Structure formats: C-alpha cells, structure tokens
Amino acid sequence: VQQAFVEHDAFQCGYCTPGQIMAVEGLLRKNPNPEVEQIRVAVSGNLCRCGAYGHIFEAARKAAQLKSGGGGKS
C-alpha cells in the first residue's frame, strides 16, 4: 500500500496519509479487488486537507494489483 501511495503521489502534506494507508490496507484485507465506490466509502472517515482523493483512489487500485501479484505498469 505504501509503495502504491508513493507511485501515485497519494499524499501531499502528509497529515492524512497514515489514516488513509490504514483504511486502504483494511479494505484490501476484506476485499482484495474493490470498486472505486468501495474505496471511497472505506477512506471516507479520513479527511484529506489537500484534496488528493483522486490520487488516493488510484493508489488503492494499484495496491490491490500489487497485493494480487499483478503489479503491472503504473
């Protein structure tokens, strides 16, 4: 998950990053291949002051690929 956040610039100021990473990790443990709406709901309790939600959603999708062994291209 951390690698995907780095690759997709899913943090800016870093204030919400730990919570976002934990939320994504928790989601992927329950659902290894989530839809974007499921990601949105999973991270909804963590407010991003910078508004990097699009990057966070992309990072979550990439993390799902990495965890399933299908790293692919960024």
Side-chain angles (χ1 to χ4, degrees):
V1 174
Q2 291 174 358
Q3 181 63 37
F5 267 65
V6 170
E7 289 180 18
H8 288 277
D9 194 26
F11 55 89
Q12 289 183 19
C13 75
Y15 184 79
C16 72
T17 305
Q20 299 288 6
I21 288 173
M22 294 301 291
V24 170
E25 179 65 32
L27 170 64
L28 296 179
R29 288 182 182 194
K30 292 179 186 174
N31 180 356
N33 191 22
E35 300 291 328
V36 173
E37 185 58 29
Q38 294 168 316
I39 297 167
R40 184 184 317 272
V41 170
V43 302
S44 66
N46 297 291
L47 301 179
C48 176
R49 301 174 350 164
C50 302
Y53 293 108
H55 295 268
I56 293 166
F57 300 155
E58 288 298 319
R61 291 174 51 203
K62 176 65 175 192
Q65 289 176 347
L66 290 170
K67 284 181 167 284
S68 71
K73 293 249 180 199
S74 296

